Amino acid sequence: MAIFILVFILLIAFLAIALLLGIAPISSKAKSRTMYVGATLMILIAVMTCDDIDMQTDLTAKIRFHTVLIFTIAVGYFCIAVAYMEKYNTVKRKNQKLEEAFTAKEQEKVSILLEQQNEKQKALLQGELEWLANKIKMFTEEEQKAILACAYAFAEHDLIVTPSIVIQQNDICSQQDLIYFVCSAFFNMGKKRCDIVSFLYKVFPLYFPAGESVLAKKMPGQERVKERREKENN
């Protein structure tokens, strides 16, 4: 009876130590090693308990030692479970750090690519607006400023606004030339045909008295505009 009580107390004490070690702020390696040592001790105790059970003749004593054996096995499994849990958490933390590092690197790459694309897009818009500004020099200085302000709003923010002054028809710039200038610039920026039609009609209403629908029919295709510009460049 005394041996049974002593072993049972030792098992409870070791279980309490194992529980405390499981939540203690020590390294995972130290926890795992301690748990493996504890599991080994439980195996030895289980073997000794089996020998003691065979030696017992009293049924009550055998039940007691069977209880110790079951409790020993349970503590042993608990130690192994804690050890494997620590290993799992260690691997999980490493994987999480790798994922975070990989994600941060990918985000950095994406940011660099977006920045490069934005710079290229800004350079493209600036170049096309400068080209358009050079083509509309036949208008008065005030008209040029109003046209370019509307062109900038459309290019940068997709806004089609009415110019601050009414743009008068200019004999040097025909309706077809005006359509070509605006279409060439905005087609290269990737603007939609219907939006370019709305821009032309709103900014140059005096050039298109027949209405927006008639203007849409007069609009040339992208290939035709591109061919004309290539001929000019050559």
Side-chain angles (χ1 to χ4, degrees):
M1 182 71 177
I3 295 173
F4 166 76
I5 294 172
L6 179 62
V7 173
F8 205 76
I9 291 171
L10 289 173
L11 287 173
I12 292 174
F14 188 83
L15 180 60
I17 293 170
L19 287 170
L20 290 173
L21 281 173
I23 60 174
I26 60 176
S27 67
S28 296
K29 188 179 286 186
K31 285 183 184 180
S32 298
R33 287 179 178 177
T34 305
M35 292 300 112
Y36 283 131
V37 170
T40 304
L41 289 174
M42 293 304 105
I43 292 172
L44 294 175
I45 293 173
V47 172
M48 293 169 60
T49 304
C50 287
D51 292 337
D52 288 336
I53 290 173
D54 293 336
M55 294 169 56
Q56 300 300 319
T57 56
D58 184 42
L59 181 61
T60 305
K62 282 190 175 185
I63 292 172
R64 288 179 188 145
F65 277 98
H66 271 105
T67 304
V68 170
L69 178 62
I70 293 169
F71 194 63
T72 303
I73 293 170
V75 173
Y77 273 115
F78 174 77
C79 291
I80 292 172
V82 172
Y84 274 97
M85 185 61 69
E86 284 302 318
K87 278 193 172 182
Y88 171 76
N89 288 334
T90 301
V91 173
K92 187 178 179 180
R93 283 193 292 270
K94 286 182 179 178
N95 288 338
Q96 188 174 359
K97 287 181 180 178
L98 287 172
E99 287 177 3
E100 288 174 355
F102 178 76
T103 303
K105 195 171 182 179
E106 287 300 311
Q107 286 177 347
E108 186 179 353
K109 286 182 179 178
V110 170
S111 298
I112 292 171
L113 287 173
L114 287 174
E115 187 176 349
Q116 290 175 347
Q117 287 178 358
N118 289 335
E119 288 177 357
K120 288 180 180 178
Q121 184 67 13
K122 285 180 181 178
L124 174 65
L125 296 184
Q126 186 65 31
E128 292 301 322
L129 288 173
E130 288 176 359
W131 182 86
L132 180 61
N134 188 53
K135 291 295 182 180
I136 60 171
K137 284 185 176 179
M138 71 286 295
F139 292 96
T140 65
E141 186 176 345
E142 190 178 7
E143 287 175 333
Q144 288 179 48
K145 288 181 180 178
I147 293 167
L148 290 174
C150 295
Y152 177 82
F154 184 41
E156 289 283 343
H157 309 291
D158 290 325
L159 296 175
I160 302 173
V161 297
T162 304
S164 55
I165 60 172
V166 177
I167 309 300
Q168 300 297 322
Q169 278 188 289
N170 191 297
D171 295 335
I172 302 174
C173 181
S174 67
Q175 187 186 79
Q176 287 301 318
D177 286 337
L178 180 63
I179 291 173
Y180 161 67
F181 297 151
V182 173
C183 285
S184 181
F186 290 125
F187 274 151
N188 286 343
M189 295 180 195
K191 301 299 181 182
K192 295 179 181 178
R193 181 187 178 91
C194 59
D195 293 334
I196 298 174
V197 171
S198 297
F199 175 85
L200 278 165
Y201 184 70
K202 197 161 190 177
V203 178
F204 305 95
L206 297 182
Y207 267 87
F208 309 103
E212 193 170 345
S213 58
V214 175
L215 169 59
K217 294 177 182 178
K218 291 183 178 181
M219 285 280 288
Q222 291 191 36
E223 291 300 322
R224 187 177 170 187
V225 172
K226 186 178 179 182
E227 286 175 6
R228 179 172 170 178
R229 187 154 176 180
E230 286 176 353
K231 287 179 181 178
E232 287 185 2
N233 292 334
N234 293 332

